[in-house]
Each structure stands twice: as structure tokens, then as C-alpha cells.
Amino acid sequence: AASAALFARAGGPHALYGRIFADFFRFREDRPALARALAALKQRRAAEGRGQVVTIAAQIRHRTSCQHGHEKVELFARAIRDIARGRRCEVLLASDRRATFAALERALGNECALHSVERNNASQPGQFVEHGVDALETAAADLGLLARADHLVGTWGSTFTLLIQSLIANRFLRRGAVARGEPPVVVYCDALAADKSMGELQRDTPVGWSRCLRPLPLIANWHISLQRFPQIDLWVG
């Protein structure tokens, strides 16, 4: 009961986790990777002028080293279009495969402007090969950029996605009520592992090795648990 009351006051567990993270950490916007990404985003927004734009974060995770970055692009592009609903949009992309950036840009065409943290020739590999070559400062800058989105299309069971959604929820509630706009949602893709336990949340997507779930509100009392990983649980209430 106490935890339920705490979550209710905070706007749900996502916003609460995002607030705790923001209270203890901050993103170094003066560091080159994030500074250049934010400057480029600001410059494009200024060039395109004012107007309603929906900003969608996309975090595309690849779970095995044999995946090269093209495998899930069409799936995520469809989910992005569904959130945008024909509105002017921009996509803030993070991925552990460099090939994903050009692939998603081709898939979206002129529908959404694509932004990301610059990937240079320097390699910053993670502990495991599957994490790609941009796992250190670049990955931290990815978090700082994607936290500025209105909504998220993320990867089912990815801790990176779980953190990004919390940062988005916290930023939403910290805005003034007038400036908030529509409440943020998350769409989980690459969710084949959830087929049996979460059938009621599945979108009407083609049968295959991957799919997306329906949008879930981030200002709400539910959360993802990885305590029994590789089993992934969604708890409501």
C-alpha cells in the first residue's frame, strides 16, 4: 500500500525512477558527443521553423553478435509511423549497430527527420561483442539525447529502453502543465519472447521472429521486472 501511494504521488514508477536518476546524475552537455548532437538538433529545429512536431525516441537493441543492424528496422519504422500518425515528426535514434542508422533513415524516407549522436571512427566496445562498438561515452550521450523525446519505441527487455522511458516520464512531469502536451507512451518491439504471457498487449503485426506490443502509457502504475531474466514480466498495480 505504501509503495502504491508513493507511485501515485510520483506519477508512476517510471517517473519516480527517472526523478531519482536525475537527482543523482546529470548528462555532460559540454562533452563533445552530446554537445554536437544537441546543437545539430537545435539548428535543424530553427531552420524548419516553429510548429507542432512530435519527437519520438527509438532504441534498437541487437541481442546477438551475428545481427548486423538491418534486422529490425522495418518493424521499428512501422511503430514510429503509428505514433506519428501523419504528424510532422523527428526521431532520436540510438542503436548498438552503426548500420541501423542509415537503414532506418531509408525506411522512414521523408516522413521523419532522423537525429543521433555522431558515430566516429573511434571504437568504444562494450564488455560483450553484442553491445557493439559505441558502448561507453557515446552510449551515455545517447541517453542524454533520447531523454528529450515525447514518446519511445524501444526494445523489449532492454535495460537501456527502461532507463530512457523513465527519463522521458520524469521530464514530462517536470514541465509546466501547459507545456506538457500529450502524455508519453512506450511501444516495445522485438517482443517474441512475450508472446505467451502478453497476448492481450500484442499489436496486429505480421507473424515472424519479432513484433511490437501496443502503446503503454508512461505516466501509469505498471513496470517491467527482469528479476527472473531471461523471463521478462510486466506487473500492473
Side-chain angles (χ1 to χ4, degrees), residues 26-211:
R26 68 180 179 89
F27 294 104
R28 292 286 304 272
E29 296 183 7
D30 59 327
R31 298 285 294 177
L34 183 54
R36 284 194 296 265
L38 294 177
L41 183 61
K42 183 178 180 180
Q43 183 177 11
R44 172 169 279 187
R45 287 175 173 174
E48 293 181 350
R50 295 183 177 271
Q52 185 179 12
V53 179
V54 58
T55 304
I56 303 168
Q59 191 262 326
I60 306 181
R61 172 85 163 88
H62 299 82
R63 300 184 188 280
T64 64
S65 57
C66 64
Q67 293 177 342
H68 301 294
H70 302 88
E71 294 81 3
K72 311 174 185 183
V73 167
E74 290 297 335
L75 188 74
F76 276 76
R78 175 177 172 172
I80 289 168
R81 293 188 192 101
D82 287 349
I83 292 177
R85 300 192 306 275
R87 295 174 292 178
R88 187 174 155 208
C89 62
E90 58 189 14
V91 174
L92 312 180
L93 174 62
S95 179
D96 46 21
R97 298 292 184 273
R98 293 185 176 185
T100 303
F101 296 87
L104 184 61
E105 190 167 35
R106 288 192 299 269
L108 292 174
N110 296 323
E111 296 176 74
C112 296
L114 188 67
H115 300 273
S116 63
V117 173
E118 179 181 303
R119 265 64 176 164
N120 55 35
N121 292 328
S123 177
Q124 298 179 322
Q127 182 177 1
F128 303 103
V129 174
E130 67 175 86
H131 293 161
V133 298
D134 300 301
L136 301 179
E137 183 177 345
T138 302
D142 284 338
L143 290 171
L145 177 64
L146 272 64
R148 288 163 168 77
D150 301 317
H151 307 289
L152 170 63
V153 179
T155 302
W156 173 253
S158 167
T159 54
F160 216 70
T161 283
L162 298 180
L163 178 53
I164 293 166
Q165 70 188 32
S166 297
L167 297 174
I168 290 173
N170 176 58
R171 284 177 64 89
F172 173 80
L173 290 183
R174 289 200 170 188
R175 298 175 196 155
V178 176
R180 283 179 182 172
E182 60 187 23
V185 300
V186 60
V187 173
Y188 295 122
C189 292
D190 191 18
L192 188 61
D195 282 357
K196 292 183 179 179
S197 60
M198 299 180 61
E200 72 280 5
L201 293 175
Q202 291 174 11
R203 299 180 57 84
D204 182 20
T205 55
V207 175
W209 68 276
S210 188
R211 64 178 66 220

